[in-house]
Amino acid sequence: MYIYEIITPGIWLDYEDREWSWEVESQLRSLEGQFFEANLALNLFHSIDHQESTSKEDWLLDNNRRSEIRKQIEAEILQEGKNHWDYMDEINLKTEVIFKREKWSQGDIPREFNHNLAFLYARAFLYALDTFDKFLKVLSNYERVPIEVKNAYQKMTEYFPNLRGVRNTVQHLEDRSRSLGGGRNPKPLDLKPVDNGFINAPNGALILNCLNGSKYGSTMADGHYGEVDVSPESMNHLQSILTEVLNAFKWKGSPQHKPSA
């Protein structure tokens, strides 16, 4: 498990303007919240077994159970005086429905669920980083905040250059899927070349909701393909930024170690 620690230098900010301090403290708590949300999403993402496979034994058991269900349905059709050959589509459908519901009731998870878990957790990581970025932007625009906070905000762009572009695409897949860019009146995308080690498209390609190892990516509104890495390296960057922000302020009270036990 990846656990990223932070130390808040005190309990309260040590400034005379308590209203200003209260507002800043609220933003700092929000940053911490998004930081740990990203940490959780990282762990969930890397806890997934990405190898989806069925053993030969399980495959044979499933086939045998399907055959049993099919024979039972065919027998019911014959009892009604019908020719089961005239009802093959209905028999096939009923067989699948009964078989699947049995598997689900036994705790089996649909393949679609397992397949989408990685994408779900990758997007959760993306959203946590994006919300962290938004809170930090708001904080950096407060009057009288230390210059280190503004510098830390600039580092978000340095460490995560495609964060906003990928997030915007995820939020507007209905436009990107039609090869449209961003804005109220989106224009057709001018797709740029892609070569990320997984996809090589010299003439450009529309790529949406893609996982390349730990990198989650999509074509952005400017036509370029962008990625955000769901990785310990990304969390290291986020940790360094949050630490820099917390240490930029004057505090009073004992240092606080987080997360909790």
Side-chain angles (χ1 to χ4, degrees):
M1 178 180 290
Y2 302 104
I3 299 179
Y4 288 84
E5 306 171 28
I6 58 171
I7 295 178
T8 305
I11 302 176
W12 306 282
L13 290 181
D14 188 12
Y15 297 91
E16 291 184 4
D17 189 337
R18 285 310 304 158
E19 182 176 351
W20 178 88
S21 295
W22 184 88
E23 291 181 3
V24 171
E25 287 167 5
S26 177
Q27 294 299 314
L28 293 174
R29 285 192 297 270
S30 295
L31 283 176
E32 291 180 5
Q34 293 306 309
F35 173 80
F36 289 120
E37 189 170 310
N39 193 170
L40 172 60
L42 173 70
N43 279 291
L44 291 172
F45 179 83
H46 284 277
S47 70
I48 297 171
D49 181 4
H50 295 272
Q51 299 298 320
E52 299 177 14
S53 61
T54 302
S55 68
K56 184 177 181 180
E57 182 181 353
D58 288 340
W59 183 83
L60 288 173
L61 288 172
D62 288 348
N63 271 3
N64 290 338
R65 181 55 187 147
R66 278 192 174 96
S67 296
E68 292 172 359
I69 295 171
R70 182 184 300 277
K71 289 176 181 178
Q72 182 180 349
I73 296 172
E74 289 175 349
E76 293 171 356
I77 293 289
L78 291 173
Q79 286 177 357
E80 295 173 3
K82 301 174 182 178
N83 185 340
H84 73 277
W85 292 109
D86 296 333
Y87 293 87
M88 288 307 298
D89 287 343
E90 181 180 340
I91 291 171
N92 290 336
L93 179 60
K94 284 186 176 180
T95 298
E96 283 302 296
V97 170
I98 293 172
F99 172 77
K100 289 177 181 177
R101 288 175 178 173
E102 279 187 1
K103 296 284 285 185
W104 299 337
S105 68
Q106 295 164 3
D108 282 54
I109 299 175
R111 284 194 301 272
E112 292 87 346
F113 288 13
N114 278 325
H115 173 74
N116 281 300
L117 270 177
F119 293 90
L120 191 69
Y121 295 148
R123 286 192 295 270
F125 186 81
L126 172 74
Y127 289 141
L129 259 63
D130 180 66
T131 308
F132 182 99
D133 180 67
K134 286 182 169 64
F135 276 121
L136 186 52
K137 180 180 181 180
V138 169
L139 182 60
S140 69
N141 287 328
Y142 268 59
E143 293 183 358
R144 291 174 285 149
V145 295
I147 189 63
E148 290 86 354
V149 176
K150 298 180 184 296
N151 294 339
Y153 175 63
Q154 294 301 318
K155 289 181 180 178
M156 285 294 296
T157 301
E158 176 186 340
Y159 293 143
F160 308 105
N162 296 319
L163 174 60
R164 186 168 300 176
V166 174
R167 195 276 303 176
N168 286 344
T169 285
V170 172
Q171 291 290 91
H172 298 285
L173 283 173
E174 77 284 359
D175 287 333
R176 300 298 180 277
S177 65
R178 295 178 293 152
S179 294
L180 296 176
R184 292 186 177 180
N185 298 302
K187 297 180 180 179
L189 287 172
D190 179 15
L191 297 174
K192 303 300 191 296
V194 180
D195 185 5
N196 65 353
F198 178 62
I199 297 171
N200 185 8
N203 297 321
L206 179 63
I207 305 168
L208 302 175
N209 200 37
C210 177
L211 267 176
N212 177 18
S214 64
K215 296 178 180 178
Y216 178 79
S218 285
T219 299
M220 301 181 291
D222 63 0
H224 287 91
Y225 176 76
E227 293 177 328
V228 172
D229 197 8
V230 188
S231 68
E233 290 74 17
S234 292
M235 278 304 304
N236 286 334
H237 291 318
L238 204 64
Q239 183 184 46
S240 68
I241 288 173
L242 180 55
T243 298
E244 183 175 348
V245 170
L246 293 173
N247 289 337
F249 292 94
K250 295 187 297 181
W251 296 83
K252 57 184 177 181
S254 302
Q256 305 294 304
H257 177 261
K258 300 175 183 177
S260 61

